[in-house]
Amino acid sequence: MPEAAPPPRNPVLEPGERLAEILFGLIMVMSFTGSLSVATADRGEVRVMLIAAFGCNIAWGLIDAIMFVMARLNGRGGDRKTVLAVKRARSHAEARALIRDNLPPLVSGELTDEMTDRIRQRIAELPLESTAPPVARDDLRGAFSVFLIVVASTFPVILPFVFMSDLASAMRVSNAIGLAMLALIGHAYGRASGFSPWWTAGAMVILGAALVALTIALGG
């Protein structure tokens, strides 16, 4: 008898989460590169900009990694509270309402009372741990992935300043890379979310450019 294939491993980060992290890192680094003045900046200012952009995305990656772990813990804590509320429901109708409230509307609208009662019964049989959910290995893997994605998004935009001596040319290439990445992120997001990929690509370029301009303006 052939051995059964192991169940597929769920990805640590969903596609939307990965795209969002790339977008955040990209906007941060483009706000630094966009603040350079081609007419007056020298190599010393370029070096300072590169260090600042890289350091900012390291800090941003660490913050996002911590927030990722906190969000995972909060989600599992919310699930635990829902299970407890269903177990303590004073009637089947109250339990059904709790279950439906915690499901997407498209799903909850299709559930009959009989189907919801089967879910309630399964929840009632679940053991409930008395302690808060601990940090799991996948939480740490996800946090590390978030950090790497944010930091890695720095390099495509800053590499032209490293390898090109002409600042104006480096700026044009860097901006082109940044806009191309925004378009690719938008296209991928559209495919993942069911929207038109080309529409979301254009919208992402416009939105990303606007956010970069706003960040530069607010940063003085």
Side-chain angles (χ1 to χ4, degrees):
M1 293 288 291
E3 293 185 4
R9 187 183 184 90
N10 292 328
V12 177
L13 294 179
E14 296 296 329
E17 291 176 313
R18 291 194 293 267
L19 293 171
E21 296 302 336
I22 297 172
L23 177 63
F24 297 153
L26 183 60
I27 288 175
M28 292 300 294
V29 69
M30 288 182 70
S31 68
F32 280 93
T33 59
S35 65
L36 278 179
S37 171
V38 175
T40 59
D42 56 22
R43 297 307 300 179
E45 291 181 43
V46 172
R47 190 180 303 109
V48 171
M49 180 275 295
L50 295 176
I51 295 172
F54 190 63
C56 179
N57 270 14
I58 288 177
W60 187 258
L62 288 171
I63 293 170
D64 259 12
I66 294 171
M67 295 301 295
F68 174 86
V69 174
M70 292 177 65
R72 286 295 178 95
L73 292 176
N74 182 66
R76 289 204 295 275
D79 292 343
R80 182 177 178 275
K81 288 175 63 177
T82 299
V83 170
L84 184 60
V86 171
K87 284 176 173 287
R88 293 177 176 175
R90 290 168 293 183
S91 66
H92 289 185
E94 182 182 348
R96 293 189 202 109
L98 286 167
I99 292 169
R100 288 194 171 104
D101 287 345
N102 284 274
L103 291 173
L106 288 176
V107 176
S108 62
E110 297 298 321
L111 290 179
T112 64
D113 285 351
E114 182 182 356
M115 296 165 67
T116 311
D117 282 338
R118 286 203 296 267
I119 297 173
R120 177 194 58 78
Q121 184 61 38
R122 293 293 298 273
I123 291 176
E125 296 170 359
L126 290 175
L128 187 65
E129 298 179 2
S130 59
T131 58
V135 176
R137 180 180 298 178
D138 276 355
D139 298 333
L140 299 179
R141 289 177 59 225
F144 186 61
S145 298
V146 166
F147 174 77
L148 288 182
I149 289 171
V150 174
V151 173
S153 66
T154 310
F155 293 104
V157 180
I158 66 172
L159 285 179
F161 296 97
V162 176
F163 294 107
M164 301 177 68
S165 57
D166 181 68
L167 181 56
S169 298
M171 179 72 78
R172 286 193 292 269
V173 173
S174 175
N175 288 339
I177 291 173
L179 292 175
M181 289 180 66
L182 287 172
L184 290 173
I185 292 169
H187 191 276
Y189 181 81
R191 292 185 62 183
S193 58
F195 294 108
S196 167
W198 296 110
W199 187 90
T200 51
M204 189 67 74
V205 170
I206 295 172
L207 176 62
L211 288 174
V212 169
L214 180 62
T215 304
I216 294 172
L218 293 177

